[in-house]
Amino acid sequence: MKALVSRGSVDAVFQQMASHPQYLESFLRAQHYILHMDGPLPLPYRHYIAIMAAARHHCHYLVYLHSAHFLRVGGDPLWLQGLEAAPPRLRLLAHINKVLAHQPWLTACSHIQTLLKSGEQCWSLAELVQAVVILAHCHALCSFVYGCDADSDFVPRTKTPNGTPPTFCPFDAANGNTNVPQSLATPSEHKTRRRVTKPLNCIFFAITTHQSHVLTRPFLFLDMEEEEEIICFADPSGFITDPDFCYEEFARSEEDHFQVFRVQDYSWEDHGFSLVNRLYSDIGHLLDDRFRSVSTLPSLHSSDLKRAIWNYIHCVLGIRYDDYDYGEVNQLLERDLKLYIKAVACFPDATKTPVCPLSWALLKTSERIHVNLLIMEARLQAELLYALRAITQYMIA
Amino acid sequence: MEKMSRVTTALSSNAISGRTMFCHLDAPANAISVCRDATQVVVAGRNIFKIYALEEEQFVEKLNLRVGRKPSLNFSCADVMWHQMEENLLATAATNGAVVTWNLGKPSRNKQEQLFTEHKRTVNKVCFHPTEVYMLLSGSQDGFMKCFDLRKKESVSTFSVIQISRNTPLFSYIPDDLFHTLFLGQSESVRDVQFSMKDYFTFAASFENGNVQLWDIRRPDRYERMFTAHTGPVFCCDWHPDDRGWLATGGRDKMVKVWDMTTNRAKEIYCVQTIASVARVKWRPERKYHLATCSMMVDHNIYVWDIRRPFIPFATFEEHKDVTTGIVWRHQHDPHFLLSGSKDSTLYQHMFKDATRPVDKANPEGLCFGLFGDLAFAAKESLISSDISRKPYPGGDRRYPIFFFKKPDPTEQFAHVSSALSVFETDLDSNRMDWFVKTAQLYLLSGKPFAELCDHNAKVAKELKRPQVSTTWTMLRIMFSDPANLTAPGTNHNLSKLGTLPLMNSFNMKEMGTGMGTESRLERSKGESRQDNIHLEPGNLHISNNNEENEETEGSEGQAEYMFGDAELDDDDLYSMEHDNQTEEQEYTLPQEAFQLRHEIVDNPSAPEHLQQDKADSPHVSGNEAEVTCLTPIESFSLISISQPLFSPHLPASFFCPIVREMLSYYAEQGDVQMAISVLIVLGDRIRKEIDDLTQEHWYMSYIDLLQRFELWNVSNEVIKLSTCSAITCLNQTSTTLHINCSNCKRPMSNKGWICDRCHQCASVCAVCHHVVKGLFVWCQGCSHGGHLEHIMNWLKSSPHCPAGCGHLCEYT
């Protein structure tokens, strides 16, 4: 794995994560399972949901990535024109996508009820759980992508709208497929891009892959040969509803309306895990693995600091720990670091660049990435907790 | 009753009484605990901390310990325990990490006695020592267990999950703070701590990582023993009240395990698999093998298990509407009262006699098919009367196999059910699927005119002794054949064997021919037959044609006749009659009605004349009576001449569609999906639109699956090809890619074309014609030369040597 990373053959985002290889492994395993392995949702649906989630944060990179995957697994290119073209079942998800992405504390039992209400377009509980996991995963990944963007040594191609889409499955590498040629370091050499503008808010790229080297085939295009692959990349705004909906302070004055979420009453370890594992087998262990590995990463940050970051993110999302003194957050986190964390966790908008805290420059790259990973995982857990609590309430009601 | 309650209040331990009852709490409960004399129960939760008295008929709130206008988080309890020696003493574990003790004897409203804030994280569990008054143990999320002496302000000892000796030279220079940060920050949360009932110094602790540790209270530096009990967190553990070696643990992995701790290694002696993560486990007093569990998520019931019967709960309490968070047996020597608190804000007292016994509802009968169609059936012995005809199983007396025989244990309260197992061997012939295979192979589904297909298939079915199916085919042909086409050169085949369907016969007069085994019936009909003066030559094509002519003319004439006929009402009657018959035909019964019909028709004054005239006119009708079966036609003839006109002009093929649809569903339901699909294919567009696509697809899939199980690949492929469902037709296009290697250089042939990229040679050249073989390639296993199948065949007919000239003596078999 490391060898692959050093050769630059892995996608830039994963490169960043690879400074923490133990974490990368659990991350890739979970992501691969969610998107490609057994599950109630058909593959195109999964990628489409991922597109919807990424579009919420204007994360072009993830939208492109999943558009490509979506087409590769046989998705209907028409759907990529926007949400209106997608089946109504997926459109129903737009609301919970919106809420989870920006104000997860609004997630309510009634949302779940609407989705599960019997009818032509209804979701099954198992499908919904998988959809929610994909949504939360992608929202959190948007935060990470956004956080990484600030990095000076980050390759900017993930941001530019006509960047080269990553066209390989990173998990191949994780599977130990080491038969990768040096030439892959610059995959764009093998492609010429032609641009066709479509009247809809869609930009089509026709990517012609000239692959003279047989060896590249098993890695890049598993079964696509010298054919033109037309990949449709849509503008993210087509996949969302209510684009103005965004994060608001979880104000204390609102506590009357939205009860503070007490971890002691609904925690991942005790409740979330059991529920999610019951409805979508094995995912609990994979997510558990992620949460554990991110918290046990060897790092110079003290465990207090890590806990402060984690709890601070949960705090801005309305989750409180009885056994934590939030005064510690102010002691341990400088103001600009807090601002940064909040920006990355709550406003990961790829069209802007996060303001880096001053102390940032002093930190090693891997430490910075570590903070970003913490943000991602904390956010993932927060969204999952809210969604799963709503599902639990639905099941009891 | 009066006396009883007095006894209860007199704190006699053996005479508590009561009934199943509950009360509403103001808030969800997290834990409950009962005082030693079983008269009061304390309920603790995030927003509740109250003591209730257990009265005969109800719970009575005695005391609210949650005082103050804005109660601090110290009141938010994760756990509570009432001291079993000192009845005024309680301890709570607060979610903010505080451990609080309460003295009910205090005169002030606030009963709080001591507050220990040594834990950094939520305290999950507090536990008093069962015999030592001042000793309290706590286990927290921060990975520490602390032992408090209630006479002191601080903990007396701390037990840590992670065992790193500070005395190791490597660590000795690290300051305390950093040491804690480095090693203890990531320690595992303690989920439960329990003092052993019998060993004074021992306590058990369970952890989030699945481990259970045993500690000696005097040795805080390291644990006595550690083992991994579960995968994932161990939420709870409980020592057996009587047996000192037994520890029960429950975990997120949905298991309850009982460990024998007396041996060197903790040994798992019982394991109960529940349906949800186990939040609490409590041994039942006075019952050695019973324990109660409740779950943390999803499942709201409380189960009492007999650990020797791990598959079905001994008793279930189903009252709660949300997860049960606390269970406790009311008295430590009374097994009949169970108290429980729940997130649904209720507190229950369950009487054991009111519990649901799942075993009573369990189905004691079992049924299973063996690989070769044998059927095993187990049922209560009482149900199976002593059947003399049963023969002993070859493997000995199977009613009491040695390994099932179990000595009844008097302590076990499960009803003993002894079952008798019967094995029914299948009669090999009756269950053979030969008919299926043969039918699949012999049926024709396409490639011939419709009527012919039907006839062929009917014949096949008949030969396989499936008269009903055969009849169905014939009927289908009749229903859907264009009257003009009825004469399609009918293969001589005979329906009359199914003499139950005279109407059918009447339609198929041209087919009557070699009616085997029908004589007796014919004899009978002969007697009834009125027109016996005309005979047909069976199987004669001319006759068939002729009949067609007859029918056609009859069709028009007959109608005309009726139009002019004096009895229009009769006409109607006939119609309705025909209808009846039509439906009845579906059920394959009733000769009587049919005969009756005939009589009616015959009674119609115009018809016979007409018939006779017709027959007289037909030139090919011969008077030859040589054929044995010649009588059938007569009868049939008489019928057809009438009924045909009734049908064909008025009843288009679509008229039958609903009936046929029902019939197809009937066959499919009966398990004969073969028939359903064959008919569907043969009828094609005639019926397809009548049946919704999903059903069709379902049938196709079932049939194809069956065919493939019988390895009828060709038939299955034909069916796939003939199907019109897109989901089916694409089936035979899956995995049709064939990867080939160049025969020359052994490299994979990368792309289209037959020339290898690498060595620029043609791959797989025929040794005879030297062209590329693009289809079947046959090669000699001796010299590995080969080529087109035909070429090689021809070559080897004339020469024994290999065509490639290698000198090998190839053989073609």
Side-chain angles (χ1 to χ4, degrees):
Chain A
M1 191 71 220
K2 259 185 185 162
L4 287 176
V5 171
S6 64
R7 285 183 196 152
S9 52
V10 171
D11 180 273
V13 165
F14 301 112
Q15 263 184 50
Q16 301 258 322
M17 279 184 201
S19 56
H20 301 282
Q22 316 95 299
Y23 174 79
L24 178 64
E25 198 190 333
S26 50
F27 175 87
L28 286 181
R29 198 176 297 134
Q31 172 167 281
H32 185 73
Y33 183 79
I34 295 170
L35 293 174
H36 304 289
M37 300 292 283
D38 292 349
L41 287 175
L43 292 181
Y45 267 54
R46 303 183 195 183
H47 290 292
Y48 199 82
I49 292 169
I51 296 171
M52 287 168 67
R56 218 42 254 188
H57 289 308
H58 309 285
C59 182
H60 295 264
Y61 161 72
L62 284 178
V63 171
Y64 297 157
L65 178 74
H66 287 290
S67 303
H69 276 301
F70 173 76
L71 293 176
R72 194 160 320 149
V73 297
D76 184 349
L78 269 184
W79 295 6
L80 291 183
Q81 289 177 1
L83 210 50
E84 305 81 50
R89 230 151 74 90
L90 285 171
R91 266 181 283 163
L92 280 178
L93 270 189
H95 185 69
I96 200 167
N97 179 23
K98 175 183 85 177
V99 169
L100 276 179
H102 303 296
Q103 298 178 28
W105 55 88
L106 292 177
T107 317
C109 180
S110 58
H111 297 142
I112 306 296
Q113 221 159 4
T114 329
L115 287 169
L116 297 179
K117 200 165 48 191
S118 57
E120 199 127 310
Q121 306 299 337
C122 79
W123 287 74
S124 79
L125 207 48
E127 287 172 332
L128 181 64
V129 167
Q130 192 185 13
V132 161
V133 170
I134 295 173
L135 287 175
H137 167 82
C138 286
H139 291 150
L141 193 55
C142 286
S143 282
F144 184 79
V145 171
Y146 174 63
C148 288
D149 255 354
D151 251 2
S152 50
D153 58 346
F154 187 63
V155 192
R157 69 170 191 217
T158 55
K159 243 194 94 185
T160 50
N162 38 6
T164 313
T167 43
F168 54 89
C169 167
F171 206 76
D172 278 353
N175 280 336
N177 187 350
T178 50
N179 188 18
V180 184
Q182 207 72 29
S183 62
L184 260 176
T186 50
S188 52
E189 281 179 8
H190 298 296
K191 299 162 194 146
T192 54
R193 273 175 269 131
R194 241 183 307 128
R195 197 170 159 158
V196 187
T197 318
K198 285 267 164 181
L200 288 153
N201 57 359
C202 260
I203 309 160
F204 284 83
F205 288 94
I207 296 180
T208 321
T209 53
H210 296 294
Q211 293 186 329
S212 44
H213 302 279
V214 185
L215 271 175
T216 60
R217 194 167 303 117
F219 195 65
L220 267 180
F221 287 91
L222 292 168
D223 45 7
M224 278 172 260
E225 305 208 335
E226 294 172 13
E227 291 158 18
E228 266 196 5
E229 185 203 4
I230 299 186
I231 297 179
C232 160
F233 295 123
D235 180 4
S237 61
F239 299 106
I240 53 176
T241 56
D242 193 5
D244 299 330
F245 190 85
C246 69
Y247 178 79
E248 269 175 29
E249 286 295 323
F250 182 80
R252 291 195 71 80
S253 61
E254 281 180 306
E255 269 178 43
D256 303 333
H257 304 288
F258 313 111
Q259 279 256 292
V260 176
F261 191 112
R262 299 278 177 187
V263 165
Q264 270 70 20
D265 291 343
Y266 200 98
S267 69
W268 166 256
E269 286 80 12
D270 292 2
H271 307 93
F273 174 92
S274 300
L275 183 67
V276 80
N277 222 26
R278 185 188 192 88
L279 295 170
Y280 181 17
S281 57
D282 292 343
I283 191 66
H285 294 290
L286 293 165
L287 293 172
D288 219 29
D289 211 34
R290 275 176 72 173
F291 297 140
R292 273 170 178 273
S293 67
V294 81
S295 64
T296 56
L297 280 183
S299 111
L300 287 181
H301 300 303
S302 71
S303 60
D304 284 343
L305 181 69
K306 283 192 266 184
R307 190 157 174 236
I309 294 174
W310 186 276
N311 288 358
Y312 177 64
I313 296 161
H314 276 188
C315 174
V316 296
L317 295 173
I319 298 177
R320 297 291 152 84
Y321 289 76
D322 280 349
D323 54 356
Y324 190 70
D325 174 12
Y326 284 88
E328 251 178 63
V329 172
N330 289 332
Q331 285 170 22
L332 291 166
L333 306 182
E334 291 143 46
R335 197 172 166 276
D336 52 357
L337 182 58
K338 273 171 70 177
L339 279 177
Y340 171 80
I341 291 172
K342 192 166 178 179
V344 172
C346 306
F347 308 100
D349 187 335
T351 54
K352 302 182 200 113
T353 314
V355 188
C356 297
L358 293 174
S359 57
W360 215 225
L362 302 173
L363 287 173
K364 279 206 309 192
T365 317
S366 71
E367 298 296 308
R368 280 178 259 170
I369 291 164
H370 187 206
V371 172
N372 282 329
L373 290 178
L374 271 175
I375 298 173
M376 168 163 77
E377 293 300 316
R379 195 172 166 214
L380 171 66
Q381 195 180 75
E383 284 188 27
L384 283 175
L385 281 177
Y386 276 115
L388 293 173
R389 186 179 64 165
I391 291 174
T392 310
Q393 284 164 352
Y394 167 82
M395 288 169 76
I396 290 170
Chain B
M1 198 60 162
E2 184 67 25
K3 194 180 168 189
M4 281 289 272
S5 63
R6 199 172 308 134
V7 170
T8 310
T9 47
L11 309 181
S12 162
S13 63
N14 281 327
I16 50 173
S17 63
R19 59 184 188 92
T20 295
M21 59 187 182
F22 75 99
C23 76
H24 283 291
L25 311 172
D26 310 325
N30 277 346
I32 61 173
S33 185
V34 72
C35 77
R36 186 179 57 152
D37 57 23
T39 54
Q40 295 178 65
V41 59
V42 58
V43 182
R46 169 172 296 282
N47 295 312
I48 184 172
F49 189 20
K50 282 181 181 173
I51 291 177
Y52 286 86
L54 290 153
E55 309 235 318
E56 189 79 5
E57 295 289 320
Q58 60 187 347
F59 291 98
V60 175
E61 184 179 330
K62 280 280 287 276
L63 187 62
N64 188 356
L65 288 157
R66 206 178 149 80
V67 291
R69 193 154 296 143
K70 189 139 183 16
S72 78
L73 278 175
N74 292 343
F75 285 95
S76 165
C77 306
D79 191 33
V80 63
M81 182 157 180
W82 204 313
H83 203 293
Q84 293 302 299
M85 305 284 291
E86 180 62 59
E87 63 185 56
N88 278 333
L89 192 57
L90 285 103
T92 57
T95 51
N96 64 355
V99 175
V100 194
T101 59
W102 312 79
N103 185 354
L104 301 181
K106 272 177 105 172
S108 64
R109 257 188 86 218
N110 190 346
K111 309 284 186 195
Q112 183 173 330
E113 178 135 294
Q114 268 183 297
L115 177 68
F116 303 98
T117 51
E118 293 182 31
H119 285 295
K120 288 220 174 71
R121 304 282 304 271
T122 300
V123 179
N124 287 321
K125 191 76 190 173
V126 284
C127 183
F128 282 112
H129 195 279
T131 49
E132 194 64 44
V133 177
Y134 296 107
M135 200 182 282
L136 174 68
L137 190 65
S138 67
S140 158
Q141 200 80 15
D142 61 10
F144 293 103
M145 293 148 283
K146 286 178 189 284
C147 184
F148 302 95
D149 184 330
L150 299 183
R151 292 162 298 196
K152 295 181 183 170
K153 289 264 176 271
E154 287 180 347
S155 63
V156 287
S157 44
T158 301
F159 311 87
S160 157
V161 187
I162 294 186
Q163 299 295 313
I164 298 166
S165 171
R166 291 301 311 278
N167 301 326
T168 315
L170 185 62
F171 298 121
S172 57
Y173 63 91
I174 304 179
D176 261 16
D177 275 6
L178 185 56
F179 180 82
H180 272 245
T181 320
L182 280 180
F183 297 109
L184 307 178
Q186 10 178 298
S187 56
E188 286 298 331
S189 316
V190 185
R191 299 311 300 241
D192 200 358
V193 284
Q194 291 287 342
F195 275 110
S196 166
M197 293 289 184
K198 300 288 175 185
D199 293 330
Y200 185 87
F201 295 111
T202 308
F203 73 88
S206 72
F207 296 93
E208 198 137 90
N209 61 0
N211 288 343
V212 171
Q213 295 178 350
L214 286 198
W215 290 79
D216 186 317
I217 200 84
R218 297 161 297 183
R219 290 195 59 191
D221 57 327
R222 66 166 293 120
Y223 53 79
E224 300 284 297
R225 181 189 278 187
M226 177 167 87
F227 60 95
T228 302
H230 294 265
T231 54
V234 187
F235 287 136
C236 52
C237 59
D238 196 34
W239 289 96
H240 198 283
D242 303 316
D243 199 318
R244 68 168 49 186
W246 284 16
L247 179 73
T249 59
R252 194 171 69 180
D253 59 1
K254 308 178 188 174
M255 309 248 229
V256 179
K257 292 179 178 175
V258 178
W259 304 86
D260 183 359
M261 311 295 279
T262 52
T263 49
N264 277 340
R265 294 190 50 190
K267 202 174 108 198
E268 180 188 325
I269 44 176
Y270 292 107
C271 177
V272 175
Q273 176 90 46
T274 67
I275 57 167
S277 57
V278 182
R280 310 267 172 183
V281 52
K282 286 275 177 247
W283 287 99
R284 188 175 175 207
E286 311 283 298
R287 295 286 185 278
K288 188 179 177 189
Y289 293 102
H290 287 192
L291 50 79
T293 65
C294 65
S295 141
M296 190 157 271
M297 277 298 284
V298 189
D299 184 16
H300 310 157
N301 297 343
I302 302 164
Y303 301 103
V304 178
W305 300 88
D306 185 319
I307 49 176
R308 294 162 298 180
R309 298 294 195 109
F311 304 111
I312 190 160
F314 176 66
T316 311
F317 299 101
E318 295 166 339
E319 280 85 0
H320 286 296
K321 303 280 185 293
D322 198 344
V323 283
T324 310
T325 48
I327 47 173
V328 59
W329 295 95
R330 184 168 162 192
H331 192 275
Q332 52 189 346
H333 294 292
D334 190 332
H336 301 297
F337 296 84
L338 180 70
L339 300 171
S340 68
S342 159
K343 284 235 157 130
D344 64 5
S345 305
T346 56
L347 174 66
Y348 260 92
Q349 168 169 280
H350 309 277
M351 295 292 294
F352 213 81
K353 63 177 164 55
D354 296 336
T356 318
R357 302 298 181 101
V359 76
D360 296 340
K361 291 183 196 154
N363 182 2
E365 276 89 42
L367 184 72
C368 187
F369 268 113
L371 184 59
F372 299 105
D374 292 355
L375 184 69
F377 174 63
K380 268 191 191 170
E381 270 197 324
S382 53
L383 288 179
I384 298 185
S385 55
S386 50
D387 191 349
I388 316 144
S389 65
R390 287 200 297 183
K391 49 178 182 184
Y393 200 65
D397 185 0
R398 71 207 135 90
R399 283 175 59 195
Y400 297 108
I402 214 78
F403 46 92
F404 284 142
F405 190 69
K406 191 171 162 188
K407 232 183 183 161
D409 185 342
T411 61
E412 206 173 341
Q413 289 181 12
F414 266 94
H416 274 276
V417 179
S418 88
S419 303
L421 177 71
S422 324
V423 178
F424 301 93
E425 283 163 355
T426 356
D427 175 11
L428 274 179
D429 286 336
S430 72
N431 219 26
R432 276 224 297 249
M433 290 290 279
D434 283 0
W435 61 269
F436 178 87
V437 179
K438 286 221 177 91
T439 313
Q441 284 165 339
L442 295 174
Y443 266 4
L444 282 180
L445 300 179
S446 65
K448 285 192 177 178
F450 169 72
E452 249 180 281
L453 291 178
C454 287
D455 290 342
H456 174 88
N457 293 343
K459 195 172 150 201
V460 169
K462 202 192 110 212
E463 275 165 9
L464 290 168
K465 302 202 174 56
R466 303 175 71 211
Q468 182 170 326
V469 173
S470 169
T471 315
T472 310
W473 279 113
T474 318
M475 283 190 321
L476 284 171
R477 201 207 55 187
I478 296 154
M479 287 175 184
F480 288 94
S481 287
D482 224 345
N485 289 337
L486 254 179
T487 52
T491 43
N492 274 341
H493 104 244
N494 178 350
L495 265 192
S496 49
K497 182 181 176 193
L498 311 159
T500 50
L501 296 164
L503 195 61
M504 177 76 61
N505 283 342
S506 71
F507 273 104
N508 289 325
M509 53 174 300
K510 66 179 167 297
E511 291 172 2
M512 88 256 281
T514 55
M516 299 306 210
T518 54
E519 277 86 346
S520 59
R521 189 176 303 281
L522 292 179
E523 292 307 330
R524 191 157 55 83
S525 31
K526 188 178 180 181
E528 295 172 19
S529 177
R530 289 197 180 184
Q531 297 112 356
D532 50 352
N533 51 345
I534 294 166
H535 307 285
L536 287 178
E537 218 174 275
N540 188 325
L541 259 174
H542 293 295
I543 292 181
S544 298
N545 282 331
N546 192 35
N547 285 341
E548 185 208 345
E549 284 168 25
N550 286 343
E551 281 158 21
E552 276 182 350
T553 46
E554 278 161 23
S556 47
E557 282 180 26
Q559 206 177 359
E561 286 270 339
Y562 283 116
M563 299 268 274
F564 290 108
D566 47 358
E568 276 184 30
L569 279 176
D570 275 0
D571 197 337
D572 285 342
D573 282 344
L574 280 169
Y575 264 110
S576 58
M577 186 68 75
E578 293 294 340
H579 280 262
D580 287 344
N581 281 328
Q582 188 53 46
T583 47
E584 278 152 0
E585 231 175 355
Q586 290 295 320
E587 286 150 27
Y588 318 101
T589 46
L590 29 125
Q592 303 91 329
E593 277 99 328
F595 280 113
Q596 204 178 2
L597 168 71
R598 193 187 58 145
H599 287 298
E600 277 211 16
I601 294 167
V602 170
D603 285 344
N604 186 329
S606 64
E609 275 176 30
H610 167 66
L611 272 179
Q612 287 198 341
Q613 191 191 356
D614 243 359
K615 283 166 194 160
D617 284 352
S618 67
H620 293 277
V621 174
S622 80
N624 179 3
E625 282 200 45
E627 307 296 328
V628 193
T629 53
C630 60
L631 284 176
T632 338
I634 301 163
E635 176 201 339
S636 307
F637 206 6
S638 69
L639 280 170
I640 195 161
S641 51
I642 302 303
S643 48
Q644 182 66 23
L646 287 177
F647 268 96
S648 40
H650 294 283
L651 300 175
S654 63
F655 172 81
F656 301 106
C657 282
I659 299 161
V660 174
R661 188 180 62 215
E662 263 173 54
M663 177 205 75
L664 291 185
S665 306
Y666 166 80
Y667 275 113
E669 289 298 311
Q670 294 288 307
D672 189 2
V673 75
Q674 181 177 51
M675 183 65 186
I677 284 301
S678 304
V679 171
L680 192 62
I681 292 176
V682 170
L683 283 180
D685 285 327
R686 296 175 184 86
I687 190 72
R688 193 174 301 132
K689 289 181 191 70
E690 294 287 316
I691 297 164
D692 68 292
D693 288 347
L694 267 182
T695 317
Q696 285 192 32
E697 197 180 314
H698 182 67
W699 289 350
Y700 272 117
M701 291 307 275
S702 316
Y703 187 37
I704 289 165
D705 185 47
L706 270 175
L707 288 173
Q708 292 183 346
R709 271 161 203 261
F710 283 100
E711 303 183 353
L712 297 164
W713 313 113
N714 287 340
V715 185
S716 114
N717 223 28
E718 191 191 352
V719 170
I720 292 174
K721 213 170 101 190
L722 289 171
S723 77
T724 46
C725 298
S726 55
I728 303 297
T729 42
C730 69
L731 276 183
N732 61 3
Q733 284 164 32
T734 53
S735 47
T736 46
T737 315
L738 203 63
H739 298 279
I740 51 172
N741 285 4
C742 171
S743 61
N744 230 16
C745 61
K746 312 285 187 281
R747 302 286 183 139
M749 298 280 287
S750 52
N751 41 26
K752 310 119 195 169
W754 298 92
I755 296 181
C756 174
D757 283 347
R758 222 162 279 280
C759 55
H760 304 288
Q761 296 267 337
C762 281
S764 52
V765 180
C766 174
V768 180
C769 67
H770 298 286
H771 284 107
V772 174
V773 186
K774 296 186 180 179
L776 282 179
F777 188 94
V778 63
W779 73 96
C780 167
Q781 292 178 341
C783 64
S784 73
H785 290 114
H788 292 110
L789 178 61
E790 281 176 42
H791 292 169
I792 297 290
M793 271 167 72
N794 289 335
W795 177 275
L796 290 176
K797 270 180 199 156
S798 55
S799 160
H801 289 276
C802 173
C806 66
H808 186 259
L809 287 169
C810 301
E811 256 183 88
Y812 183 86
T813 44

